[in-house]
Amino acid sequence: MSTKFNEKQPRIAIIGSGFAGISAAAYLAKQGYEVDVYEKNEDIGGRARQLITDNGYIFDMGPSWYWMPEVFEQFFNDFGFKASDFYELDLLDPGFSIVFKNNEVLSIPANFEELLKLFERIEAGSAEKLKSFLEEAEYKYKIGIGKLVYKPGISLMEFADAELIKGMFKLQVFTSFSTHVKKHFKDPRLIALMEFPVLFLGAMPEETPALYSMMNYAGLKLGSWYPKGGFGKVIQAMKVVAEQQGVKFHTNAPVTALKIAEEQVKGVHSSIGSKDYDGVIAAADYHHIESQILPPNYRNYSEKYWENRVLAPSSLIFYIGVNTRVNQLNHHTLFFDEDLKQHAQEIYKTPKWPSKPLFYVCCPSVTDPNVAPEGHENLFILMPLAPDVADPEAIREQYFDLIMDRLEAFTGTQIRNHLDYKRSYCVREFIEDYNSYKGNAYGLANTLMQTAHLKPSIKNKKLNNLFYAGQLTVPGPGVPPSIISGNVAAKQMIKYFNR
């Protein structure tokens, strides 16, 4: 897409250097724009930063699931590269494991035929039902990832597409995810396996549209992958691509205000000074931009609007270095040895610290020896949690011990006796590091009333050269959607200059 310049290259500021911000910057710079990225933290990457310790551990601080590899590939292809030019991808086998009551383990094979056999062993007839379920999910995935996620959500007319209208019934936007799963499977272990991605999508399975079964297709059919060196390698690769287009990154440079005149943003004020710009893409926390950076008369939404949004969870995370090997763990292990519904209720319905939490353990050192010293283990432990709860150290420690009791019983390793490094991360840090609204970790819940054009608008309605990107706007939470969000926001900015 060509850009019509009047007298000079348009100069664009991007606020935030997560996946959405780097993506937007790269796409704009490719079209000839002069782009500066402002990052409040010392390192770029947003939630995908890495924590590198003095004693040899490399922790991914946030994302750890590499699903939808073609979205990453498309980004690099758009600039004449392949992902393999920057990092090596491993297909995980098993893709992940789920631990149920009495330490019963369900390991999900990468091979689809083996997966069908596994389902059939658990529930007679379920292999054929899984095929049917994933055929429907594949259709949703191809429409969702191929079309829906690239819609800016500014007008309902975007959906006046013959294929979308024809396929609306098949997309199952108005059917609940829970109803859809239970129509196919009866065994509670299979139901938990199919419903687990919803815990991170941000709503009860009963309130999430069945459209999101496309996540099952992504995880079970396209596979779980791992970028050698961790997600920090992906961020660095995207940074290289952006810099080759001419993007400049400014770290330790929080934006404090915008210069506004004549219904336009004219520049940004940051901790490193003031600079004039022809447009801004806010890829930082949407609510923070609205409530702290923009004057009230230029905000899209009131505080009451934000209070009424359904947020995806926050998380209690532990980054753990262990100076011995830990048996029984795969790269991804989900502990569903307590009731999923109860934990979800305590996140979404009666927000509080969970009484019997589920949790997730990522052990990348199983796959990648470079993320921990030799003979040691790198553990990332995450417990989904309601946002906006108090998280003092005493409660964090209480839950650390609760989780360790179960993890040590499962692995047969006294992990607490072998701690080499330990750090917790919770609501407070999400707010401090990312200005995250109420300390959420995953943006807005993917409920029906917060899907597509019902999400916070990608465009500021009062300032015609201010756009938004990231997990609180379209297409939604997750790494691939954030990369796409930056692309969509960049296209809207280009459209503004081509008007």
Side-chain angles (χ1 to χ4, degrees):
M1 183 187 294
S2 64
T3 301
K4 294 187 296 187
F5 300 144
N6 296 326
E7 298 174 0
K8 62 180 179 65
Q9 288 180 314
R11 186 186 285 168
I12 309 298
I14 310 284
I15 306 173
S17 71
F19 283 107
I22 301 175
S23 172
Y27 281 108
L28 284 168
K30 182 186 178 187
Q31 296 300 324
Y33 292 77
E34 184 183 325
V35 183
D36 287 317
V37 178
Y38 290 84
E39 169 55 53
K40 74 180 284 289
N41 292 314
E42 186 177 348
D43 301 309
I44 71 160
R47 285 163 169 78
R49 294 178 302 154
Q50 286 190 318
L51 168 61
I52 301 175
T53 72
D54 292 337
N55 56 345
Y57 294 95
I58 301 173
F59 295 100
D60 280 328
M61 295 191 71
S64 58
W65 294 80
Y66 195 103
W67 280 5
M68 308 183 193
E70 75 281 4
V71 174
F72 297 85
E73 200 62 56
Q74 185 64 58
F75 173 83
F76 293 113
N77 291 171
D78 286 345
F79 298 91
F81 297 103
K82 304 186 296 292
S84 59
D85 292 332
F86 301 99
Y87 53 86
E88 182 184 341
L89 274 182
D90 283 347
L91 177 62
L92 301 179
D93 191 11
F96 56 94
S97 297
I98 302 182
V99 179
F100 294 106
K101 285 189 184 298
N102 303 316
N103 288 337
E104 178 189 2
V105 180
L106 208 60
S107 290
I108 308 307
N111 181 279
F112 187 60
E113 290 303 317
E114 292 300 315
L115 181 65
L116 291 173
K117 290 176 188 173
L118 174 64
F119 267 64
E120 196 63 25
R121 281 199 300 274
I122 293 171
E123 181 181 309
S126 65
E128 285 304 313
K129 288 181 179 177
L130 178 62
K131 282 185 188 175
S132 168
F133 185 97
L134 290 181
E135 280 171 12
E136 291 179 20
E138 180 179 12
Y139 173 82
K140 296 171 193 172
Y141 185 88
K142 286 181 175 172
I143 294 294
I145 300 302
K147 287 197 167 191
L148 287 177
V149 293
Y150 287 94
K151 306 285 187 189
I154 293 171
S155 165
L156 268 175
M157 290 309 294
E158 295 165 21
F159 302 95
D161 174 297
E163 188 175 5
L164 282 179
I165 293 167
K166 184 180 173 185
M168 192 57 70
F169 180 73
K170 287 170 72 176
L171 291 174
Q172 295 186 299
V173 174
F174 302 106
T175 303
S176 92
F177 191 93
S178 178
T179 300
H180 183 53
V181 168
K182 288 172 182 171
K183 183 178 143 190
H184 289 80
F185 310 106
K186 299 292 182 280
D187 190 283
R189 291 165 295 180
L190 296 184
I191 291 170
L193 162 62
M194 303 307 279
E195 288 186 347
F196 102 80
V198 174
L199 191 62
F200 301 96
L201 285 173
M204 300 285 288
E206 292 81 3
E207 293 170 6
T208 301
L211 165 69
Y212 290 103
S213 66
M214 63 180 175
M215 298 297 293
N216 300 114
Y217 175 76
L220 299 178
K221 207 72 186 285
L222 299 180
S224 297
W225 299 77
Y226 172 71
K228 278 283 183 71
F231 266 83
K233 292 289 187 186
V234 186
I235 286 290
Q236 288 306 316
M238 291 178 66
K239 182 189 181 192
V240 168
V241 169
E243 287 180 331
Q244 286 195 6
Q245 310 307 308
V247 174
K248 292 184 174 65
F249 289 86
H250 307 278
T251 54
N252 292 314
V255 170
T256 54
L258 300 180
K259 292 192 221 174
I260 296 169
E262 301 165 352
E263 297 186 342
Q264 288 188 327
V265 178
K266 297 293 188 178
V268 303
H269 300 286
S270 76
S271 64
I272 59 171
S274 299
K275 190 170 179 179
D276 292 342
Y277 289 97
D278 302 297
V280 171
I281 292 181
D285 183 89
Y286 199 130
H287 173 266
H288 171 74
I289 297 294
E290 292 255 305
S291 64
Q292 302 299 319
I293 307 297
L294 280 173
N297 52 319
Y298 293 112
R299 296 170 187 171
N300 273 350
Y301 303 105
S302 66
E303 197 60 31
K304 183 178 180 183
Y305 168 89
W306 288 106
E307 284 290 334
N308 289 330
R309 295 311 90 195
V310 181
L311 291 174
S314 186
S315 298
L316 170 61
I317 300 170
F318 294 102
Y319 308 105
I320 306 294
V322 186
N323 63 13
T324 186
R325 285 296 187 191
V326 179
N327 297 320
Q328 309 301 325
L329 291 176
N330 287 313
H331 191 109
H332 298 299
T333 307
L334 296 146
F335 284 79
F336 276 39
D337 45 343
E338 296 291 357
D339 183 39
L340 168 62
K341 189 163 188 177
Q342 181 176 339
H343 190 160
Q345 287 266 5
E346 291 167 341
I347 293 173
Y348 305 119
K349 297 301 182 186
T350 53
K352 60 183 177 182
W353 281 82
S355 45
K356 294 180 178 179
L358 283 62
F359 62 94
Y360 155 65
V361 179
C362 181
C363 185
S365 44
V366 168
T367 307
D368 186 353
N370 296 316
V371 298
E374 187 176 353
H376 293 214
E377 218 76 274
N378 173 321
L379 301 183
F380 168 98
I381 301 170
L382 181 149
M383 183 188 83
L385 177 69
D388 205 27
V389 296
D391 59 342
E393 290 301 322
I395 290 183
R396 298 186 192 200
E397 282 304 300
Q398 176 189 332
Y399 277 84
F400 178 73
D401 285 331
L402 185 154
I403 289 168
M404 281 296 129
D405 287 345
R406 285 158 60 187
L407 188 56
E408 290 178 350
F410 174 73
T411 61
T413 302
Q414 296 302 305
I415 295 170
R416 281 170 285 195
N417 293 340
H418 293 277
L419 290 182
D420 204 24
Y421 182 86
K422 175 188 169 191
R423 179 181 168 185
S424 68
Y425 199 96
C426 199
V427 173
R428 188 167 67 248
E429 285 83 4
F430 278 105
I431 294 170
E432 289 171 359
D433 289 349
Y434 312 123
N435 295 313
S436 171
Y437 182 50
K438 295 186 176 180
N440 81 82
Y442 301 99
L444 289 183
N446 279 326
T447 61
L448 177 59
M449 297 308 293
Q450 294 180 168
T451 294
H453 68 289
L454 298 176
K455 291 184 185 294
S457 176
I458 199 170
K459 184 181 188 311
N460 186 283
K461 298 165 186 175
K462 296 156 188 174
L463 299 167
N464 52 25
N465 63 342
L466 172 60
F467 297 89
Y468 303 85
Q471 62 179 15
L472 284 171
T473 185
V474 292
V479 175
S482 291
I483 293 172
I484 292 167
S485 180
N487 184 352
V488 174
K491 285 177 179 172
Q492 290 303 303
M493 182 68 79
I494 292 165
K495 187 176 176 183
Y496 162 73
F497 282 103
N498 281 335
R499 68 199 189 284

